[in-house]
Amino acid sequence: MNSSKFTGLLYLGKVTPQDCVDWANTCLQEGKDGEYLRELASMNKNYLDKEEVFKLVRYCFSDIGFRCHPSEINTKFQEAKEIAKQILSGEIEPYEGVGKISAISGQIAFPSSMALSDWDYLEEGNHPECIEKVWFFYKTNPKKCLEIVMREAKKLAESNLKFDLENLWTEI
């Protein structure tokens, strides 16, 4: 079972301990590696302790590059939306908010982080409308920077991002 499908089913609570072991073996076959992944993959299917298996799964996410458990993704999306609202209300400086939302994106990890990629691009200076890191852009062209950040904040604050089994995130 591939990681996207596994993650979605795990989020929905529809995986068995054996599914977890099978997923770990698939990860190893795909060239992913890690201490916890190997431990999970080597578990005897006749003696799977559900609690132990699911604890290992959580640790395996760091082995394969996921930085948060699927059950935490919607919470992270909400946290990002709240920061966007704080940017709009003036509670947080725009460039500071960009850094905070970009950090949340980094916690979620690809592919779910794609929902927040514009914030990463702003932070890194790769946004189509700016070619400088946001803190520098904010100093050299504050009007344009503010316009872009406020537009992105409004878009995020009004969005309804949700974790999705098919795509790992979607806007509804």
Side-chain angles (χ1 to χ4, degrees):
M1 174 181 319
N2 72 39
S3 290
S4 293
K5 182 176 180 181
F6 176 79
T7 304
L9 291 172
L10 178 65
Y11 175 75
L12 295 173
K14 298 188 180 226
V15 294
T16 65
Q18 185 58 51
D19 292 332
C20 298
V21 173
D22 293 344
W23 167 74
N25 280 300
T26 299
C27 288
L28 290 171
Q29 290 168 1
E30 292 173 347
K32 298 172 181 130
D33 194 20
E35 173 189 352
Y36 299 111
L37 206 52
R38 288 189 303 273
E39 185 178 343
L40 180 59
S42 69
M43 293 185 90
N44 184 331
K45 67 180 181 179
N46 297 320
Y47 301 103
L48 294 176
D49 177 87
K50 186 176 182 178
E51 191 173 305
E52 183 181 349
V53 167
F54 285 103
K55 181 176 82 174
L56 278 174
V57 166
R58 188 182 248 313
Y59 296 143
C60 286
F61 283 118
S62 63
D63 283 348
I64 64 167
F66 282 76
R67 290 181 274 297
C68 78
H69 192 275
S71 65
E72 298 169 349
I73 293 173
N74 284 331
T75 303
K76 295 292 183 184
F77 284 158
Q78 278 307 115
E79 188 178 334
K81 284 180 61 168
E82 289 304 314
I83 293 169
K85 290 175 185 176
Q86 291 174 337
I87 291 170
L88 292 170
S89 72
E91 293 174 58
I92 293 179
E93 288 291 325
Y95 75 93
E96 181 185 345
V98 169
K100 287 182 174 195
I101 294 173
S102 180
I104 290 170
S105 177
Q107 293 167 13
I108 295 172
F110 184 82
S112 299
S113 63
M114 291 303 294
L116 301 173
S117 62
D118 286 340
W119 295 92
D120 292 332
Y121 298 144
L122 275 169
E123 174 73 9
E124 296 166 359
N126 297 325
H127 192 276
E129 296 180 60
C130 70
I131 56 170
E132 301 166 311
K133 289 188 172 275
V134 75
W135 62 268
F136 189 73
F137 187 49
Y138 189 69
K139 291 179 181 180
T140 61
N141 195 343
K143 185 177 177 185
K144 181 69 173 176
C145 182
L146 186 60
E147 175 188 318
I148 295 168
V149 173
M150 295 305 264
R151 184 186 65 228
E152 293 297 334
K154 186 175 189 308
K155 188 167 64 172
L156 179 57
E158 294 174 352
S159 72
N160 190 13
L161 293 175
K162 298 286 181 193
F163 182 82
D164 178 89
L165 173 60
E166 294 289 319
N167 303 308
L168 294 185
W169 71 272
T170 189
E171 186 172 339
I172 57 173

